[in-house]
Amino acid sequence: DTGVSQDPRHKITKRGQNVTFRCDPISEHNRLYWYRQTLGQGPEFLTYFQNEAQLEKSRLLSDRFSAERPKGSFSTLEIQRTEQGDSAMYLCASSRRGYQEAFFGQGTRLTVV
Amino acid sequence: QKEVEQNSGPLSVPEGAIASLNCTYSDRGSQSFFWYRQYSGKSPELIMSIYSNGDKEDGRFTAQLNKASQYVSLLIRDSQPSDSATYLCAVLNFGNEKLTFGTGTRLTIIP
C-alpha cells in the first residue's frame, strides 16, 4: 500500500495557461475524489469518480475544469485558462468499496501568477 | 449557517494535558464523521472515524458523537508537541459521497 500519489507537488503557471494534475489512488480503491483547499479553509469537494464513471461534480467546477479517470485507475484534473483565483492546494483522495474512510494524497499546490 | 462548524482557534494546551476539539453540523441526515489532522503545508491525514453515538477510542485519541445534539468532538490525551496541527472535522451525509469539512481548529501544544 503505497498511498495516494499526486503529481506534480508544486506548479507555478502564468495566468491563462492550462495545467494538468495527476492522481494515482491506492490500489483496489475504486472511488476517487478531487478537493480544493485554500489558506485557512477546509477542503472543498470538486468531483468524484466510482471506477471510471464521474458521478458528481460540484458547482465549483466551472467549465474551465475537467476531470477524467480512464479505465478506472489514475485520474487527471485539467484547468484551462487559469486565473489567479485558481491558486490553491488540489487534493486527491481515494476510498475502498464498502468503506467510507477517504485517504488523501500529498496534494498539488498551484500558484497562478 | 455553515454545514460544519469548528472553532478556528488557536487552541493552546500544555504538554501532557487533554486537548478537546469540537465540531457541530447542521444536517441531521449526516451519518459518518471523521477527524483529520493537517500539519502546515501538508495534506489531511485521517486519524479517527465514528459512525454511532458514544465514544470511540484509539490510543490517545477519543472521538465522541452525539447525533441528537449534532455534535462531534475529539479528545487528545497526554498531548505532545507533535500533536500541534490543524484538526479538520468532516461529515458524510446519507446518500452523498462527498465529505463536507469544517474550517479546522489550529491546536498548539505548549512544551
Side-chain angles (χ1 to χ4, degrees):
Chain A
D1 183 349
T2 58
V4 179
S5 179
Q6 293 189 245
D7 184 70
R9 298 288 303 277
H10 304 273
K11 178 71 176 179
I12 299 174
T13 191
K14 291 184 178 180
R15 189 174 53 183
Q17 297 295 305
N18 299 344
V19 294
T20 300
F21 309 140
R22 176 179 172 125
C23 172
D24 287 88
I26 295 170
S27 59
E28 298 180 356
H29 280 200
N30 67 324
R31 295 177 179 178
L32 187 149
Y33 312 82
W34 286 98
Y35 288 83
R36 179 173 69 185
Q37 186 177 25
T38 54
L39 198 62
Q41 301 298 314
E44 294 177 295
F45 172 80
L46 293 178
T47 190
Y48 148 65
F49 291 85
Q50 181 165 294
N51 300 315
E52 67 276 7
Q54 188 173 18
L55 296 186
E56 188 173 351
K57 292 197 295 185
S58 165
R59 57 181 171 78
L60 292 175
L61 215 65
S62 74
D63 56 4
R64 296 185 299 106
F65 288 70
S66 63
E68 294 182 342
R69 192 182 182 198
K71 302 179 183 178
S73 55
F74 71 92
S75 176
T76 58
L77 178 68
E78 180 183 17
I79 309 174
Q80 296 182 326
R81 305 181 302 281
T82 52
E83 303 173 355
Q84 286 190 321
D86 297 331
S87 295
M89 173 85 89
Y90 288 83
L91 295 161
C92 177
S94 70
S95 67
R96 189 173 172 181
R97 186 185 195 94
Y99 295 84
Q100 296 183 331
E101 290 86 358
F103 299 91
F104 283 86
Q106 318 96 308
T108 295
R109 183 168 296 282
L110 172 67
T111 303
V112 181
V113 296
Chain B
Q1 180 187 8
K2 289 183 180 178
E3 292 185 57
V4 180
E5 295 209 44
Q6 296 181 254
N7 187 324
S8 61
L11 176 66
S12 295
V13 172
E15 183 176 356
I18 296 175
S20 178
L21 303 162
N22 305 315
C23 172
T24 58
Y25 58 94
S26 61
D27 188 340
R28 287 195 172 275
S30 300
Q31 60 174 7
S32 305
F33 307 86
F34 307 89
W35 285 99
Y36 286 83
R37 177 176 63 198
Q38 187 171 30
Y39 293 114
S40 181
K42 303 296 184 183
S43 63
E45 175 192 7
L46 179 66
I47 54 173
M48 288 289 285
S49 58
I50 188 166
Y51 305 103
S52 55
N53 282 329
D55 295 359
K56 178 182 178 182
E57 186 174 322
D58 184 0
R60 294 187 297 112
F61 299 98
T62 299
Q64 299 175 316
L65 174 62
N66 184 328
K67 290 187 177 181
S69 301
Q70 295 175 243
Y71 176 92
V72 58
S73 66
L74 179 70
L75 302 178
I76 306 174
R77 289 183 300 280
D78 187 24
S79 297
Q80 303 297 310
S82 59
D83 295 326
S84 297
T86 295
Y87 289 80
L88 295 162
C89 173
V91 173
L92 194 64
N93 296 331
F94 180 75
N96 193 326
E97 294 299 330
K98 66 177 185 182
L99 288 169
T100 302
F101 285 85
T103 54
T105 298
R106 186 156 58 94
L107 173 66
T108 300
I109 305 302
I110 304 169

